Each structure stands twice: as C-alpha cells, then as structure tokens.
Amino acid sequence: MTGEIEAAGDAITGGMLARAVEPGHGEAGHEAHEAGHGACLNCGAAVTGNYCPECGQAAHLHRSFAAIGHDLAHGVLHFEGKIFTTLPELALRPGQLTRRYIHGERAKFVSPFALFLFSAFLMYAIFSLTSHHGPEGARNQVKMNSEAIAELKKEEEKADARIAKVQAQLAEPGISASRRETLQEKLKDAQDERKGLSLASGLTDSLTGDNVDKAVDKTVDKGLNKGLNKGIAKTVGKAMSAAAKDPEFAYYKLKANAYKFSWLLIVISLPFLWLLFPFSRRFKMYGHAIYVTYSIAFMSLLFSLSMILTAVGITHGLVTLVLLLFAAWHMYRQFKDAYQLSRSGTLLRLPLLYGFACASLSLFFAFLMMMG
C-alpha cells in the first residue's frame, strides 16, 4: 500500500514540476471569470482587464476551499486545453509538432521539457504500481540452479580433454599432411566450442554474482580492455556482481536513479543525432534537443500505456506487436517531418537512427549500473 501511495505522489509531483516549467502563455482564462479593478494584488499595477498587464496574474482570485482541489487538478493534469492539443499532434503528427514548436508556434502546445518531466514521473509511478519484485522472487529469476552450473562445468572439462587429445595427436611424429589437416580442423572446432562454453560460464558467473570481479580482472589482464575501458569494465562488472547478490536492492536503486537521471538520456542522444547531419547549417543543436525531448516523452507515455495494458491482463502478442510497430512508425514519421527529409533520405538514415537510439539507451543503463 505504501508503494502505491508513493507512486501516486510521484505522478502528482511530476505534474506539478511540469506545470512549474511550462510557459503560461496561450492558456484559457479559467481563473479570470470577471474583470478586475484597482491594483494588482501581486505587483500593485493598475488592473483594468482579466489579467495584470505587468505580471500576468489573474485579476479574479479564488479563495474557496474547493479552489485548492481545482488548483491541484489544474497543476497535475494540465486541464487548460494545451495538453489536448499537444497529445494528438505528438501521437499522429510528431514531426509537424516539432517543427511548429521550433519555428515559434508555442502558445497552444505543452513545451517539450514540461511534457518530458510529466511523462518521466508518470512512467515511474506506473512502474511502481504495476511491478512487484520480492527478494526471493528476484533471486530465483536471476540465479541458475546448481545442477545446471555443475553440468556446464562438466562440459567444459570434456572440451578441454578433447582439445588436449587432438593436440597430442598433432604432436605425434610422421603423420600425413591430410591427417594433420583433419586434426587441425578438429582442434579448431573443439577450441570454438570451448570458447562458447567459456562465454556461457562467464554469463553464469555474472548472473549468480560469483567471481565477477575475478572474471573482469582476468579479461583485463588478457589485454581485451585497456585504459578507460579497463576502468569501465571493472566498474560495470562490480555493479553487476552487487546487483546479482542483492537484486531487490539493485532493483530499487535502478528504479530510483532511472527517473532522477532521466534528463541524461537527452544529453546522451544529442551527439548521436548530430552525427546524422554532421556540420549541417540547417539544423542546430536547439532543434535536435526539441526533437529528442518530444520523442523521449512520447516513448515514455507509450511505455506507460504498455505497462497499464499488462497490468490489466491485456498481454496478447498482437498488442505488443502493434505497440512496437507504432513506435517504429512514430520514429520514422517524426524524423521525416521534423527535418523535412525526402522518403529516400529518411529511409537511408533510419537504420542509423534506430541504432543510435539503442546505443543511447545502452549508455544510459550502463551509467545507472555504475551509479548503483
């Protein structure tokens, strides 16, 4: 019950934060039911209309107890018309919305940063309400059972024995060229199999939290990671080890850090988006930022919808497929219209866009793991 209350509080906080950063221009005058007279109660300027000409405060102010609920709903749900104008455009014409906002048509739309804040807090709140991870359940999901691990170790020993046997046969004097070629092929196959088993064993150690630090150090010692990569490999490896040993705490930390540092996803995405139009004079970093922020906000809302559908039992594969296809179409549509690209130009860059999106998410989650 406490988690549900906290989740509702997070959603309300997100809405109020979004409201705090959202520009007030273009809003309907719900607070101003009658023209004011005299001095403004906020700045003291003369008021002759519905709003103060100096500070913009409404001339008519509510002082009833019901006004508290009205102000809360107004701040959290943003019920002044702008959200109902923005969401359909964001869902169906995202590229046009992005361009219109960049070009200055802003009074009728929710700003991208305000929408991003609200969607991030909303997603966190829904995730808290719909996900249930107990300590034992989390450990059971992550850890392999001991019999499977023992079987894997036996397969590794068998592979080592086969490699040793083939190497001994190759060392025998007087073998023919064809025989040597056959044995070399067997040795290569056996070594490839051993590498696959080593990879599986390393993954098992990561998932069970056993010997992760040793495995990372061993990889580093072999020279596969050097300099900065060495430090990153050790840090991520230790984070994975700690997460496997206490998955419930790791889940809590990941959930807490995800929305606290959600803004970092915008910063990470910007260089990748710039690479799609390097040194272009048409597209500035500000435009890239508006594009990325609206895009992430929509994907957060879409992910929130998918969590709600899952929570109410609508988990059919077709529904998931529709959501994934809609997300892919949305990225295509926003990218094409926002940058006014031709169809061929869009399709040429689209694989890179999808790849950069995955890379940005990977870097973001790697950062969260390091922070944990």
Side-chain angles (χ1 to χ4, degrees):
M1 185 65 182
T2 303
E4 284 78 358
I5 295 175
E6 289 180 354
D10 289 326
I12 293 174
T13 302
M16 297 183 75
L17 280 176
R19 177 60 183 156
V21 301
E22 172 64 12
H25 48 257
E27 299 176 354
H30 293 290
E31 294 89 347
H33 299 293
E34 58 186 45
H37 301 283
C40 173
L41 299 178
N42 181 58
C43 67
V47 178
T48 57
N50 293 330
Y51 296 93
C52 173
E54 296 296 328
C55 67
Q57 176 169 288
H60 179 74
L61 302 177
H62 295 285
R63 291 187 175 89
S64 65
F65 183 76
I68 298 177
H70 171 270
D71 290 341
L72 181 62
H74 181 79
V76 175
L77 303 175
H78 225 168
F79 277 152
E80 68 268 13
K82 296 172 72 172
I83 192 68
F84 299 112
T85 305
T86 305
L87 286 183
E89 292 292 321
L90 182 63
L92 302 177
R93 293 174 289 275
Q96 295 180 22
L97 171 65
T98 303
R99 287 200 62 80
R100 291 167 70 181
Y101 191 90
I102 292 173
H103 288 169
E105 193 176 342
R106 305 179 182 183
K108 64 181 70 173
F109 300 123
V110 178
S111 68
F113 188 65
L115 191 61
F116 169 79
L117 277 178
F118 180 70
S119 63
F121 275 88
L122 180 65
M123 182 174 63
Y124 173 75
I126 294 175
F127 188 68
S128 299
L129 285 168
T130 58
S131 60
H132 303 283
H133 299 273
E136 295 303 321
R139 286 176 173 80
N140 291 334
Q141 290 175 7
V142 173
K143 290 188 176 181
M144 296 177 63
N145 62 60
S146 58
E147 293 181 1
I149 296 174
E151 185 67 26
L152 181 59
K153 296 299 181 184
K154 289 181 180 179
E155 291 297 326
E156 287 180 337
E157 292 174 359
K158 290 180 181 179
D160 289 335
R162 283 194 294 270
I163 291 174
K165 181 180 179 180
V166 175
Q167 287 176 337
Q169 291 174 340
L170 281 170
E172 294 176 357
I175 61 174
S176 64
S178 59
R179 172 69 172 163
R180 180 176 297 276
E181 183 179 354
T182 301
L183 289 175
Q184 286 176 341
E185 290 180 357
K186 288 184 177 180
L187 179 61
K188 185 178 183 303
D189 291 340
Q191 289 174 337
D192 289 340
E193 181 183 355
R194 184 63 178 85
K195 288 180 181 179
L197 291 171
S198 298
L199 180 62
S201 178
L203 180 59
T204 301
D205 289 340
S206 297
L207 291 176
T208 57
D210 298 330
N211 303 320
V212 174
D213 296 335
K214 293 180 181 179
V216 172
D217 291 337
K218 185 178 179 181
T219 303
V220 172
D221 292 339
K222 287 183 178 180
L224 298 179
N225 294 285
K226 298 180 180 179
L228 179 61
N229 288 338
K230 177 178 177 180
I232 293 175
K234 283 189 174 182
T235 303
V236 174
K238 290 177 180 178
M240 290 178 63
S241 176
K245 291 176 181 177
D246 193 351
E248 181 67 12
F249 180 72
Y251 164 75
Y252 166 77
K253 292 289 291 183
L254 186 65
K255 183 176 70 171
N257 288 334
Y259 86 94
K260 288 180 182 177
F261 295 100
S262 58
W263 55 267
L264 187 62
L265 191 55
I266 300 175
V267 179
I268 294 174
S269 302
L270 286 177
F272 289 107
L273 196 59
W274 178 87
L275 288 174
L276 294 173
F277 307 96
F279 307 106
S280 173
R281 295 185 177 181
R282 289 179 56 199
F283 309 118
K284 307 298 181 183
M285 195 59 73
Y286 173 79
H288 294 328
I290 298 300
Y291 171 87
V292 167
T293 308
Y294 266 139
S295 180
I296 295 176
F298 176 78
M299 293 302 168
S300 299
L301 294 173
L302 192 65
F303 186 64
S304 298
L305 175 62
S306 69
M307 287 190 291
I308 293 174
L309 293 177
T310 301
V312 298
I314 305 178
T315 56
H316 195 276
L318 181 60
V319 176
T320 303
L321 178 62
V322 169
L323 291 177
L324 289 174
L325 291 176
F326 186 72
W329 172 86
H330 188 273
M331 290 181 68
Y332 164 80
R333 197 74 227 175
Q334 184 181 13
F335 189 60
K336 180 178 183 297
D337 292 344
Y339 292 98
Q340 293 183 320
L341 301 174
S342 63
R343 181 174 299 178
S344 59
T346 305
L347 294 176
L348 184 65
R349 293 180 174 90
L350 202 58
L352 290 175
L353 180 65
Y354 292 148
F356 288 160
C358 294
S360 298
L361 282 173
S362 299
L363 290 173
F364 177 66
F365 284 114
F367 172 81
L368 293 183
M369 290 291 293
M370 294 172 65
M371 290 296 296

